[in-house]
Amino acid sequence: MSRPRSGVRGPNSALTEFLKNEGITDAFRRRQIHTPTSRTPEEPEPSATEEISSEEEQIRTAGRKKRRAARKLAKGSDSGSDSGSDSDFNISDDASSGDDLDVGHKFGEQDLCVDCGNSFTLTVYSRYLDSHKGYLCEDCNEALKKKEKAARRNQLNARKKRKRLAQALLDRTTVHVPSLQDVCIRVITKNISDVEALGEIGQTNINKISRILSKNRSLNDETMTLFLSPDIREIEFWDCSNVSSACFDKIAAYCSQLEALTLFMCGQFHNDNLIYYKDKLLNLKKLALNGPFLISDQMWTSFFKEAQCPLQQFEIRNTHRFGNDALLALLERWGRNLTSLKLSRLDSLDTVGIYELIPEFLGPSTLTSLELSYPCKTDIITDELLIYILAVTGESLRHLNVDGCSSLTDQFLIEGVGKFCPNLESLSMRNLDLITDEGFVQAFEEFSAINSGGLVTVDLTKCVGLGDKAIHALLVHSGNTLVELSLNSLNKLTKSFLLQVLTDDNATWKNTLKESIEDGVNDTIENEEEKKVFYSKVNFPLLTRLDVGFVRAFDDGVAALVSEECPKLNILEVYGDNKCTSKAKVRSDLLIIGRQSDAV
């Protein structure tokens, strides 16, 4: 878009200024170019005197033109404007005069404001509006500047607000006015490098600061020492990637009474650190490590055989150097006393035989939490192995995690969980794609006979073989006790099922459906998936978190019913549910994560 000329001339170069003062203009140069310079052989060369006379004549002519132009300018004639050119900007005075004529006024003259209509003196600072084809007065220009500044400020504030909302969604929280305590903690974490001691702020606040530092990757050798004290009993560091091996020794040196230690992403945790812990942490009951790949299998074996601490809970993840000998040493030494055993992503545990030894060493009715997830080979964890383990430990087991054990089938649920786990509260079985609808229903019929309390947490992510009947069996049994439920990627769930379990059985359309089924509406339908099924309503008084991502049947109508029928639901995840939009009528306090319309 071309900008109208304001009549302001740019600076001239030294050469341009010299030529202008000498009267050598564009017209003069054009005449020089068009004047024939070639001479015939017969034409004599001009003498030096003739050349000087010709040059003097040109200078006199230029001087006369300058005086004539000055007189015209003094008289105020528009035609007397300097005809010199601006070689730097390649804009001639004739062009500038043409622009002034187009605008209709020159700087210094009076003009009418195109906005308010008042008369004002046109200056180089006057603002030209393309939309109105005219200039603004100073007052209108200032008012327009304020409007533009306010618009930019509003745009910036809106961008900041969207950023805060996006961050809150990632943190699974809502944007709210922080408490004074949260503000203080935020200030401390931002200036943690300047803090010398945290003081008596309470263990809860100390743990909160530790989690924030871990999330921001700010936990290092200097900041870690702020959380160490002789009387502390439990330490949790969730990101130790910036903590050196030497600093890990400070934990045992400063906190000799430590009973529970959790170190995640501890890639610099070394053999020497484990030896130091063996001698110093004599009261350690819980040890949870994620990523200690520098500790060798031999060192693990030595630690388990020689350590004097009363270890009861052990968790290890993401290392290829925790092998069969290390696990065997752990079971031989502390197997009878273990209440929690979590083994995940351990590539060196590569035989079925080592897992079969687990129930041999575990004490009866002592283990409450068991995790055997993501083995190096999927066929290592089999139905027979899990049934054998559950037969020994199932009576006291409260938490079971078999994520990634994709060789497990319905038999593991029917013969294992359904018969030996009367006190089970949490069940996680991600990526078990061999579990079927019919087998799950049968397993929960068995499970209901021994477990009357119900499950609290269930994760069925990517158990793609499950459908309406399986989930209904789960909800009928545990609907009143469920707090967290994940049905992610269960694409066999239908909209009819979702609506029925959330709608009262006395609803007109459900009565009509029930009557049509009784009248034999399914008799002529051969495809089992197309037959109509009646599902009773389920109550969810305690459900606080629900993940229905990539369940295609979940739409705005179902979301509205979920919001209404689950009074304590705080978080609803709907990633991949294209039919769930911002038009869904849900409670204001319900946080919905994953809608495409919420993209920022």
Side-chain angles (χ1 to χ4, degrees):
M1 182 177 67
S2 62
R3 181 182 297 176
R5 293 190 178 91
S6 60
V8 179
R9 296 281 305 279
N12 293 331
S13 66
L15 177 60
T16 302
E17 191 67 24
F18 170 76
L19 294 175
K20 183 177 179 181
N21 293 335
E22 294 299 328
I24 303 176
T25 62
D26 281 343
F28 173 76
R29 286 196 291 269
R30 284 195 294 270
R31 286 196 302 272
Q32 290 292 98
I33 293 173
H34 293 297
T35 301
T37 58
S38 60
R39 295 181 176 85
T40 60
E42 295 80 8
E43 185 177 355
E45 292 289 334
S47 62
T49 305
E50 292 177 350
E51 289 181 358
I52 295 174
S53 300
S54 176
E55 185 177 352
E56 290 178 353
E57 183 63 27
Q58 293 175 2
I59 293 175
R60 292 193 185 98
T61 303
R64 286 195 295 270
K65 289 183 178 180
K66 287 178 61 178
R67 289 191 294 273
R68 190 182 306 116
R71 286 195 298 270
K72 290 182 179 180
L73 184 61
K75 294 178 180 179
S77 174
D78 293 340
S79 61
S81 61
D82 190 6
S83 61
S85 65
D86 186 354
S87 61
D88 290 343
F89 294 90
N90 200 21
I91 300 175
S92 65
D93 287 351
D94 295 337
S96 299
S97 299
D99 288 342
D100 289 341
L101 291 175
D102 292 340
V103 174
H105 296 280
K106 285 188 173 183
F107 299 126
E109 296 183 353
Q110 294 293 315
D111 195 4
L112 295 179
C113 176
V114 295
D115 189 12
C116 65
N118 295 330
S119 177
F120 71 100
T121 302
L122 198 63
T123 67
V124 294
Y125 301 105
S126 299
R127 185 170 184 174
Y128 184 82
L129 291 183
D130 287 333
S131 58
H132 294 74
K133 301 299 181 183
Y135 287 92
L136 291 176
C137 65
E138 188 64 24
D139 295 337
C140 294
N141 189 22
E142 291 297 327
L144 183 58
K145 286 181 180 179
K146 291 181 180 179
K147 291 181 180 179
E148 292 174 345
K149 186 176 180 180
R152 289 193 297 268
R153 184 171 56 252
N154 293 337
Q155 185 179 9
L156 181 61
N157 292 336
R159 189 180 298 117
K160 290 181 178 179
K161 183 177 180 180
R162 291 195 300 269
K163 186 177 180 180
R164 288 196 301 269
L165 290 174
Q167 185 63 42
L169 286 176
L170 292 176
D171 295 338
R172 290 175 171 80
T173 59
T174 57
V175 178
H176 59 278
V177 179
S179 63
L180 179 60
Q181 186 182 66
D182 292 336
V183 173
C184 294
I185 291 176
R186 190 179 304 169
V187 172
I188 291 174
T189 54
K190 286 184 178 180
N191 303 276
I192 194 66
S193 58
D194 300 327
V195 178
E196 296 181 357
L198 293 176
E200 298 295 334
I201 63 174
Q203 190 60 40
T204 302
N205 293 327
I206 290 178
N207 292 338
K208 186 180 294 186
I209 294 175
S210 173
R211 287 193 294 269
I212 294 175
L213 292 180
S214 297
K215 182 179 179 181
N216 297 336
R217 291 289 179 91
S218 300
L219 191 68
N220 51 38
D221 293 355
E222 296 180 359
T223 57
M224 174 184 277
T225 57
L226 297 174
F227 305 96
L228 307 181
S229 63
D231 57 343
I232 196 170
R233 294 291 186 271
E234 181 178 355
I235 289 180
E236 294 179 349
F237 293 139
W238 299 101
D239 187 349
C240 303
S241 54
N242 294 325
V243 180
S244 65
S245 177
C247 191
F248 281 120
D249 285 344
K250 294 182 181 180
I251 297 177
Y254 294 171
C255 311
S256 58
Q257 303 300 318
L258 200 63
E259 296 180 357
L261 176 61
T262 300
L263 301 176
F264 271 43
M265 301 179 69
C266 54
Q268 301 187 57
F269 195 77
H270 201 267
N271 288 337
D272 297 337
N273 301 123
L274 194 60
I275 295 174
Y276 193 70
Y277 284 13
K278 177 186 64 175
D279 299 330
K280 297 295 182 180
L281 299 180
L282 302 180
N283 299 322
L284 192 64
K285 297 180 180 179
K286 175 185 176 181
L287 179 61
L289 301 177
N290 187 344
F293 47 78
L294 293 181
I295 301 179
S296 63
D297 187 45
Q298 294 79 9
M299 183 53 61
W300 280 117
T301 304
S302 175
F303 174 79
F304 293 139
K305 290 182 178 180
E306 300 175 7
Q308 301 300 318
C309 56
L311 194 64
Q312 297 177 359
Q313 302 179 46
F314 182 74
E315 175 182 354
I316 185 168
R317 303 174 182 272
N318 294 299
T319 177
H320 62 285
R321 305 182 72 180
F322 187 90
N324 299 338
D325 294 339
L327 180 58
L328 183 59
L330 169 67
L331 295 175
E332 289 178 346
R333 178 67 186 281
W334 285 299
R336 296 292 175 182
N337 299 323
L338 282 179
T339 60
S340 176
L341 178 62
K342 298 181 180 181
L343 308 175
S344 178
R345 302 183 188 274
L346 304 177
D347 294 342
S348 295
L349 299 181
D350 53 0
T351 61
V352 179
I354 189 62
Y355 283 100
E356 291 178 345
L357 293 176
I358 293 178
E360 298 290 340
F361 293 95
L362 294 178
S365 303
T366 57
L367 195 68
T368 60
S369 180
L370 175 64
E371 177 178 350
L372 302 175
S373 61
Y374 300 103
C376 64
K377 299 177 182 178
T378 56
D379 56 351
I380 291 179
I381 307 297
T382 62
D383 292 331
E384 293 76 12
L385 173 63
L386 257 297
I387 293 172
Y388 182 35
I389 294 176
L390 294 178
V392 176
T393 64
E395 185 176 355
S396 59
L397 202 63
R398 296 182 179 274
H399 307 280
L400 177 61
N401 187 331
V402 289
D403 294 346
C405 301
S406 54
S407 293
L408 297 178
T409 64
D410 298 334
Q411 185 181 0
F412 138 73
L413 287 174
I414 298 172
E415 302 295 334
V417 176
K419 292 184 177 180
F420 301 116
C421 300
N423 298 308
L424 193 65
E425 298 176 358
S426 174
L427 176 62
S428 181
M429 36 191 285
R430 289 173 168 243
N431 300 301
L432 269 62
D433 52 358
L434 297 182
I435 305 295
T436 64
D437 220 21
E438 295 76 11
F440 195 90
V441 172
Q442 182 180 352
F444 265 82
E445 290 177 355
E446 299 275 352
F447 187 58
S448 300
I450 63 172
N451 185 304
S452 58
L455 299 175
V456 177
T457 303
V458 177
D459 191 344
L460 302 177
T461 299
K462 293 187 178 180
C463 294
V464 294
L466 301 182
D468 297 343
K469 295 180 180 179
I471 303 306
H472 188 256
L474 167 66
L475 298 181
V476 169
H477 174 262
S478 304
N480 290 324
T481 58
L482 276 176
V483 176
E484 295 186 7
L485 175 63
S486 176
L487 305 177
N488 191 293
S489 301
L490 301 191
N491 206 27
K492 289 186 177 181
L493 296 180
T494 63
K495 182 178 179 180
S496 175
F497 163 73
L498 296 175
L499 292 176
Q500 288 189 57
V501 296
L502 295 169
T503 305
D504 191 80
D505 292 342
N506 295 324
T508 304
W509 69 273
K510 289 191 71 173
N511 288 330
T512 303
L513 175 63
K514 189 175 183 179
E515 292 174 359
S516 64
I517 295 175
E518 293 175 352
D519 293 340
V521 69
N522 293 327
D523 295 343
T524 58
I525 301 176
E526 297 181 357
N527 190 349
E528 292 293 332
E529 296 181 356
E530 296 179 358
K531 291 184 177 181
K532 296 182 179 180
V533 182
F534 179 84
Y535 298 103
S536 59
K537 184 180 184 298
V538 179
N539 296 318
F540 302 94
L542 303 178
L543 189 64
T544 60
R545 180 175 176 180
L546 175 62
D547 183 359
V548 287
F550 300 97
V551 178
R552 307 300 182 185
F554 197 90
D555 59 8
D556 290 343
V558 180
L561 280 176
V562 168
S563 174
E564 181 180 352
E565 298 297 328
C566 304
K568 293 189 176 182
L569 188 65
N570 295 327
I571 298 176
L572 176 62
E573 297 189 39
V574 293
Y575 288 103
D577 298 343
N578 299 331
K579 297 180 181 179
C580 184
T581 66
S582 57
K583 297 180 180 179
K585 298 180 180 180
V586 298
R587 305 192 316 267
S588 59
D589 59 338
L590 177 58
L591 180 62
I592 301 180
I593 305 174
R595 290 182 299 191
Q596 290 184 350
S597 57
D598 294 335
V600 293

